[in-house]
PDB file of all heavy atoms in Angstrom:
ATOM      1  N   ARG A 754      65.171 100.270  39.390  1.00  0.00           N
ATOM      2  CA  ARG A 754      65.288  99.962  40.800  1.00  0.00           C
ATOM      3  C   ARG A 754      65.577  98.476  40.977  1.00  0.00           C
ATOM      4  O   ARG A 754      65.051  97.639  40.235  1.00  0.00           O
ATOM      5  CB  ARG A 754      63.976 100.333  41.499  1.00  0.00           C
ATOM      6  CG  ARG A 754      64.117 100.400  43.005  1.00  0.00           C
ATOM      7  CD  ARG A 754      62.862 100.993  43.619  1.00  0.00           C
ATOM      8  NE  ARG A 754      61.771 100.029  43.537  1.00  0.00           N
ATOM      9  CZ  ARG A 754      60.851  99.897  44.490  1.00  0.00           C
ATOM     10  NH1 ARG A 754      60.889 100.655  45.578  1.00  0.00           N
ATOM     11  NH2 ARG A 754      59.872  99.028  44.353  1.00  0.00           N
ATOM     12  N   LYS A 757      64.160  93.416  45.708  1.00  0.00           N
ATOM     13  CA  LYS A 757      64.558  93.091  47.083  1.00  0.00           C
ATOM     14  C   LYS A 757      65.522  91.906  47.066  1.00  0.00           C
ATOM     15  O   LYS A 757      65.579  91.129  46.119  1.00  0.00           O
ATOM     16  CB  LYS A 757      63.321  92.711  47.912  1.00  0.00           C
ATOM     17  CG  LYS A 757      62.435  93.884  48.268  1.00  0.00           C
ATOM     18  CD  LYS A 757      62.772  94.439  49.638  1.00  0.00           C
ATOM     19  CE  LYS A 757      61.825  95.590  49.980  1.00  0.00           C
ATOM     20  NZ  LYS A 757      62.397  96.516  50.957  1.00  0.00           N
ATOM     21  N   THR A 762      66.664  86.429  44.131  1.00  0.00           N
ATOM     22  CA  THR A 762      67.582  87.455  43.615  1.00  0.00           C
ATOM     23  C   THR A 762      68.964  87.395  44.277  1.00  0.00           C
ATOM     24  O   THR A 762      69.720  88.353  44.199  1.00  0.00           O
ATOM     25  CB  THR A 762      67.006  88.871  43.815  1.00  0.00           C
ATOM     26  OG1 THR A 762      66.932  89.136  45.232  1.00  0.00           O
ATOM     27  CG2 THR A 762      65.641  89.010  43.196  1.00  0.00           C
ATOM     28  N   VAL A 767      76.110  81.287  44.258  1.00  0.00           N
ATOM     29  CA  VAL A 767      75.986  80.916  45.675  1.00  0.00           C
ATOM     30  C   VAL A 767      74.833  79.926  45.831  1.00  0.00           C
ATOM     31  O   VAL A 767      74.948  78.892  46.491  1.00  0.00           O
ATOM     32  CB  VAL A 767      75.768  82.169  46.555  1.00  0.00           C
ATOM     33  CG1 VAL A 767      75.522  81.782  48.005  1.00  0.00           C
ATOM     34  CG2 VAL A 767      76.967  83.115  46.447  1.00  0.00           C
ATOM     35  N   ALA A 770      75.818  76.479  44.628  1.00  0.00           N
ATOM     36  CA  ALA A 770      76.861  75.748  45.366  1.00  0.00           C
ATOM     37  C   ALA A 770      76.192  74.847  46.388  1.00  0.00           C
ATOM     38  O   ALA A 770      75.172  75.194  46.963  1.00  0.00           O
ATOM     39  CB  ALA A 770      77.792  76.741  46.064  1.00  0.00           C
ATOM     40  N   ARG A 775      76.991  69.546  55.508  1.00  0.00           N
ATOM     41  CA  ARG A 775      75.999  70.221  56.336  1.00  0.00           C
ATOM     42  C   ARG A 775      74.732  70.468  55.522  1.00  0.00           C
ATOM     43  O   ARG A 775      74.308  71.602  55.357  1.00  0.00           O
ATOM     44  CB  ARG A 775      76.568  71.530  56.874  1.00  0.00           C
ATOM     45  CG  ARG A 775      77.838  71.307  57.667  1.00  0.00           C
ATOM     46  CD  ARG A 775      78.129  72.408  58.625  1.00  0.00           C
ATOM     47  NE  ARG A 775      78.986  71.922  59.685  1.00  0.00           N
ATOM     48  CZ  ARG A 775      79.246  72.594  60.792  1.00  0.00           C
ATOM     49  NH1 ARG A 775      78.708  73.745  61.006  1.00  0.00           N
ATOM     50  NH2 ARG A 775      80.025  72.071  61.718  1.00  0.00           N
ATOM     51  N   SER A 862     100.004  89.067  57.360  1.00  0.00           N
ATOM     52  CA  SER A 862      98.883  88.339  56.752  1.00  0.00           C
ATOM     53  C   SER A 862      99.227  86.891  56.417  1.00  0.00           C
ATOM     54  O   SER A 862      98.343  86.050  56.284  1.00  0.00           O
ATOM     55  CB  SER A 862      98.396  89.068  55.493  1.00  0.00           C
ATOM     56  OG  SER A 862      97.913  90.352  55.834  1.00  0.00           O
ATOM     57  N   ARG A 973      93.569  73.516  34.786  1.00  0.00           N
ATOM     58  CA  ARG A 973      94.724  74.201  35.359  1.00  0.00           C
ATOM     59  C   ARG A 973      95.234  73.574  36.650  1.00  0.00           C
ATOM     60  O   ARG A 973      96.315  73.923  37.118  1.00  0.00           O
ATOM     61  CB  ARG A 973      94.381  75.672  35.619  1.00  0.00           C
ATOM     62  CG  ARG A 973      93.972  76.396  34.339  1.00  0.00           C
ATOM     63  CD  ARG A 973      94.194  77.866  34.462  1.00  0.00           C
ATOM     64  NE  ARG A 973      95.607  78.185  34.599  1.00  0.00           N
ATOM     65  CZ  ARG A 973      96.074  79.347  35.012  1.00  0.00           C
ATOM     66  NH1 ARG A 973      95.238  80.311  35.360  1.00  0.00           N
ATOM     67  NH2 ARG A 973      97.377  79.566  35.125  1.00  0.00           N
ATOM     68  N   ARG A1002     103.923  67.477  33.048  1.00  0.00           N
ATOM     69  CA  ARG A1002     103.708  67.358  31.604  1.00  0.00           C
ATOM     70  C   ARG A1002     102.560  68.257  31.151  1.00  0.00           C
ATOM     71  O   ARG A1002     102.636  68.903  30.118  1.00  0.00           O
ATOM     72  CB  ARG A1002     103.389  65.889  31.302  1.00  0.00           C
ATOM     73  CG  ARG A1002     103.391  65.507  29.860  1.00  0.00           C
ATOM     74  CD  ARG A1002     103.453  63.969  29.720  1.00  0.00           C
ATOM     75  NE  ARG A1002     102.280  63.276  30.243  1.00  0.00           N
ATOM     76  CZ  ARG A1002     102.293  62.368  31.211  1.00  0.00           C
ATOM     77  NH1 ARG A1002     103.420  62.012  31.805  1.00  0.00           N
ATOM     78  NH2 ARG A1002     101.173  61.775  31.607  1.00  0.00           N
ATOM     79  N   GLU A1049     109.529  74.739  32.111  1.00  0.00           N
ATOM     80  CA  GLU A1049     108.483  73.745  31.881  1.00  0.00           C
ATOM     81  C   GLU A1049     108.674  72.501  32.736  1.00  0.00           C
ATOM     82  O   GLU A1049     107.769  71.714  32.905  1.00  0.00           O
ATOM     83  CB  GLU A1049     108.472  73.348  30.400  1.00  0.00           C
ATOM     84  CG  GLU A1049     108.026  74.452  29.465  1.00  0.00           C
ATOM     85  CD  GLU A1049     106.510  74.551  29.373  1.00  0.00           C
ATOM     86  OE1 GLU A1049     105.837  73.543  29.609  1.00  0.00           O
ATOM     87  OE2 GLU A1049     106.007  75.651  29.070  1.00  0.00           O
ATOM     88  N   HIS A1051     109.230  72.340  35.821  1.00  0.00           N
ATOM     89  CA  HIS A1051     108.925  72.547  37.237  1.00  0.00           C
ATOM     90  C   HIS A1051     107.570  71.964  37.615  1.00  0.00           C
ATOM     91  O   HIS A1051     106.649  71.951  36.803  1.00  0.00           O
ATOM     92  CB  HIS A1051     108.927  74.045  37.552  1.00  0.00           C
ATOM     93  CG  HIS A1051     110.298  74.614  37.700  1.00  0.00           C
ATOM     94  ND1 HIS A1051     110.647  75.487  38.691  1.00  0.00           N
ATOM     95  CD2 HIS A1051     111.422  74.406  36.986  1.00  0.00           C
ATOM     96  CE1 HIS A1051     111.913  75.814  38.573  1.00  0.00           C
ATOM     97  NE2 HIS A1051     112.412  75.177  37.536  1.00  0.00           N
ATOM     98  N   LYS A1090      97.763  88.951  48.932  1.00  0.00           N
ATOM     99  CA  LYS A1090      96.746  90.001  48.904  1.00  0.00           C
ATOM    100  C   LYS A1090      95.394  89.448  49.387  1.00  0.00           C
ATOM    101  O   LYS A1090      94.705  90.086  50.191  1.00  0.00           O
ATOM    102  CB  LYS A1090      96.607  90.547  47.486  1.00  0.00           C
ATOM    103  CG  LYS A1090      95.745  91.786  47.406  1.00  0.00           C
ATOM    104  CD  LYS A1090      95.189  91.988  46.034  1.00  0.00           C
ATOM    105  CE  LYS A1090      96.252  92.364  45.024  1.00  0.00           C
ATOM    106  NZ  LYS A1090      95.737  92.321  43.641  1.00  0.00           N
TER     107      LYS A1090
ATOM    108  N   ARG B 414      96.730  72.756  26.355  1.00  0.00           N
ATOM    109  CA  ARG B 414      97.404  72.693  27.635  1.00  0.00           C
ATOM    110  C   ARG B 414      97.373  74.072  28.306  1.00  0.00           C
ATOM    111  O   ARG B 414      97.500  75.097  27.638  1.00  0.00           O
ATOM    112  CB  ARG B 414      98.848  72.239  27.425  1.00  0.00           C
ATOM    113  CG  ARG B 414      99.519  71.800  28.698  1.00  0.00           C
ATOM    114  CD  ARG B 414     100.847  71.169  28.390  1.00  0.00           C
ATOM    115  NE  ARG B 414     101.815  72.168  27.979  1.00  0.00           N
ATOM    116  CZ  ARG B 414     103.110  72.126  28.313  1.00  0.00           C
ATOM    117  NH1 ARG B 414     103.575  71.119  29.042  1.00  0.00           N
ATOM    118  NH2 ARG B 414     103.930  73.044  27.904  1.00  0.00           N
ATOM    119  N   LYS B 417     101.422  77.860  32.679  1.00  0.00           N
ATOM    120  CA  LYS B 417     101.843  77.790  34.079  1.00  0.00           C
ATOM    121  C   LYS B 417     101.113  78.867  34.874  1.00  0.00           C
ATOM    122  O   LYS B 417     100.636  79.853  34.324  1.00  0.00           O
ATOM    123  CB  LYS B 417     103.356  78.021  34.189  1.00  0.00           C
ATOM    124  CG  LYS B 417     104.198  76.851  33.719  1.00  0.00           C
ATOM    125  CD  LYS B 417     104.605  75.960  34.877  1.00  0.00           C
ATOM    126  CE  LYS B 417     105.540  74.849  34.400  1.00  0.00           C
ATOM    127  NZ  LYS B 417     105.458  73.649  35.221  1.00  0.00           N
ATOM    128  N   THR B 422      98.999  84.810  34.469  1.00  0.00           N
ATOM    129  CA  THR B 422      97.877  83.882  34.277  1.00  0.00           C
ATOM    130  C   THR B 422      97.079  83.665  35.559  1.00  0.00           C
ATOM    131  O   THR B 422      96.346  82.697  35.665  1.00  0.00           O
ATOM    132  CB  THR B 422      98.373  82.512  33.777  1.00  0.00           C
ATOM    133  OG1 THR B 422      99.150  81.900  34.824  1.00  0.00           O
ATOM    134  CG2 THR B 422      99.203  82.636  32.520  1.00  0.00           C
ATOM    135  N   VAL B 427      91.457  89.035  40.866  1.00  0.00           N
ATOM    136  CA  VAL B 427      92.337  89.048  42.039  1.00  0.00           C
ATOM    137  C   VAL B 427      93.466  90.048  41.805  1.00  0.00           C
ATOM    138  O   VAL B 427      93.784  90.869  42.671  1.00  0.00           O
ATOM    139  CB  VAL B 427      92.887  87.630  42.315  1.00  0.00           C
ATOM    140  CG1 VAL B 427      93.900  87.653  43.469  1.00  0.00           C
ATOM    141  CG2 VAL B 427      91.752  86.650  42.620  1.00  0.00           C
ATOM    142  N   ALA B 430      92.251  93.597  42.215  1.00  0.00           N
ATOM    143  CA  ALA B 430      91.810  94.035  43.551  1.00  0.00           C
ATOM    144  C   ALA B 430      92.983  94.691  44.256  1.00  0.00           C
ATOM    145  O   ALA B 430      94.131  94.277  44.095  1.00  0.00           O
ATOM    146  CB  ALA B 430      91.309  92.841  44.351  1.00  0.00           C
ATOM    147  N   ARG B 435      97.487  97.419  53.400  1.00  0.00           N
ATOM    148  CA  ARG B 435      98.716  96.636  53.369  1.00  0.00           C
ATOM    149  C   ARG B 435      99.347  96.708  51.983  1.00  0.00           C
ATOM    150  O   ARG B 435      99.534  95.697  51.333  1.00  0.00           O
ATOM    151  CB  ARG B 435      98.427  95.185  53.761  1.00  0.00           C
ATOM    152  CG  ARG B 435      97.777  95.100  55.136  1.00  0.00           C
ATOM    153  CD  ARG B 435      97.979  93.777  55.793  1.00  0.00           C
ATOM    154  NE  ARG B 435      97.839  93.937  57.239  1.00  0.00           N
ATOM    155  CZ  ARG B 435      98.159  93.012  58.112  1.00  0.00           C
ATOM    156  NH1 ARG B 435      98.629  91.849  57.718  1.00  0.00           N
ATOM    157  NH2 ARG B 435      98.018  93.212  59.396  1.00  0.00           N
ATOM    158  N   SER B 522      77.585  76.467  62.137  1.00  0.00           N
ATOM    159  CA  SER B 522      78.264  77.399  61.231  1.00  0.00           C
ATOM    160  C   SER B 522      77.903  78.856  61.515  1.00  0.00           C
ATOM    161  O   SER B 522      78.648  79.760  61.153  1.00  0.00           O
ATOM    162  CB  SER B 522      77.948  77.053  59.777  1.00  0.00           C
ATOM    163  OG  SER B 522      78.447  75.773  59.477  1.00  0.00           O
ATOM    164  N   ARG B 633      72.260  97.634  44.335  1.00  0.00           N
ATOM    165  CA  ARG B 633      71.532  96.756  45.255  1.00  0.00           C
ATOM    166  C   ARG B 633      71.838  97.001  46.715  1.00  0.00           C
ATOM    167  O   ARG B 633      71.147  96.479  47.580  1.00  0.00           O
ATOM    168  CB  ARG B 633      71.851  95.301  44.906  1.00  0.00           C
ATOM    169  CG  ARG B 633      71.454  94.959  43.480  1.00  0.00           C
ATOM    170  CD  ARG B 633      71.224  93.487  43.322  1.00  0.00           C
ATOM    171  NE  ARG B 633      70.080  93.047  44.110  1.00  0.00           N
ATOM    172  CZ  ARG B 633      69.814  91.784  44.397  1.00  0.00           C
ATOM    173  NH1 ARG B 633      70.624  90.836  43.984  1.00  0.00           N
ATOM    174  NH2 ARG B 633      68.765  91.458  45.119  1.00  0.00           N
ATOM    175  N   ARG B 662      63.018 103.132  49.948  1.00  0.00           N
ATOM    176  CA  ARG B 662      62.444 103.629  48.690  1.00  0.00           C
ATOM    177  C   ARG B 662      63.111 102.972  47.482  1.00  0.00           C
ATOM    178  O   ARG B 662      62.461 102.614  46.519  1.00  0.00           O
ATOM    179  CB  ARG B 662      62.664 105.146  48.646  1.00  0.00           C
ATOM    180  CG  ARG B 662      61.903 105.872  47.576  1.00  0.00           C
ATOM    181  CD  ARG B 662      61.914 107.393  47.851  1.00  0.00           C
ATOM    182  NE  ARG B 662      63.248 107.993  47.850  1.00  0.00           N
ATOM    183  CZ  ARG B 662      63.802 108.631  48.880  1.00  0.00           C
ATOM    184  NH1 ARG B 662      63.167 108.748  50.045  1.00  0.00           N
ATOM    185  NH2 ARG B 662      65.005 109.168  48.761  1.00  0.00           N
ATOM    186  N   GLU B 709      57.232  95.967  50.314  1.00  0.00           N
ATOM    187  CA  GLU B 709      58.076  97.058  49.830  1.00  0.00           C
ATOM    188  C   GLU B 709      58.458  98.006  50.953  1.00  0.00           C
ATOM    189  O   GLU B 709      59.366  98.800  50.810  1.00  0.00           O
ATOM    190  CB  GLU B 709      57.337  97.826  48.733  1.00  0.00           C
ATOM    191  CG  GLU B 709      57.131  97.023  47.463  1.00  0.00           C
ATOM    192  CD  GLU B 709      58.360  97.049  46.557  1.00  0.00           C
ATOM    193  OE1 GLU B 709      59.130  98.017  46.644  1.00  0.00           O
ATOM    194  OE2 GLU B 709      58.552  96.101  45.780  1.00  0.00           O
ATOM    195  N   HIS B 711      59.656  97.345  53.787  1.00  0.00           N
ATOM    196  CA  HIS B 711      60.650  96.815  54.712  1.00  0.00           C
ATOM    197  C   HIS B 711      62.028  97.390  54.440  1.00  0.00           C
ATOM    198  O   HIS B 711      62.371  97.674  53.300  1.00  0.00           O
ATOM    199  CB  HIS B 711      60.710  95.288  54.589  1.00  0.00           C
ATOM    200  CG  HIS B 711      59.599  94.603  55.290  1.00  0.00           C
ATOM    201  ND1 HIS B 711      59.769  93.506  56.087  1.00  0.00           N
ATOM    202  CD2 HIS B 711      58.274  94.882  55.343  1.00  0.00           C
ATOM    203  CE1 HIS B 711      58.611  93.126  56.572  1.00  0.00           C
ATOM    204  NE2 HIS B 711      57.685  93.939  56.134  1.00  0.00           N
ATOM    205  N   LYS B 750      75.041  78.869  54.158  1.00  0.00           N
ATOM    206  CA  LYS B 750      75.814  77.941  53.330  1.00  0.00           C
ATOM    207  C   LYS B 750      77.254  78.444  53.146  1.00  0.00           C
ATOM    208  O   LYS B 750      78.208  77.671  53.270  1.00  0.00           O
ATOM    209  CB  LYS B 750      75.140  77.782  51.969  1.00  0.00           C
ATOM    210  CG  LYS B 750      75.721  76.661  51.132  1.00  0.00           C
ATOM    211  CD  LYS B 750      75.460  76.865  49.665  1.00  0.00           C
ATOM    212  CE  LYS B 750      74.009  76.695  49.328  1.00  0.00           C
ATOM    213  NZ  LYS B 750      73.715  77.113  47.938  1.00  0.00           N
TER     214      LYS B 750
END
Side-chain angles (χ1 to χ4, degrees):
Chain A
R754 195 171 72 144
K757 287 265 182 204
T762 66
V767 175
R775 303 202 157 191
S862 298
R973 301 204 65 196
R1002 191 164 65 239
E1049 292 277 334
H1051 282 223
K1090 189 202 291 170
Chain B
R414 195 171 72 143
K417 286 265 184 208
T422 67
V427 175
R435 303 204 157 191
S522 297
R633 300 204 65 195
R662 192 166 62 240
E709 292 277 334
H711 282 225
K750 190 203 291 171

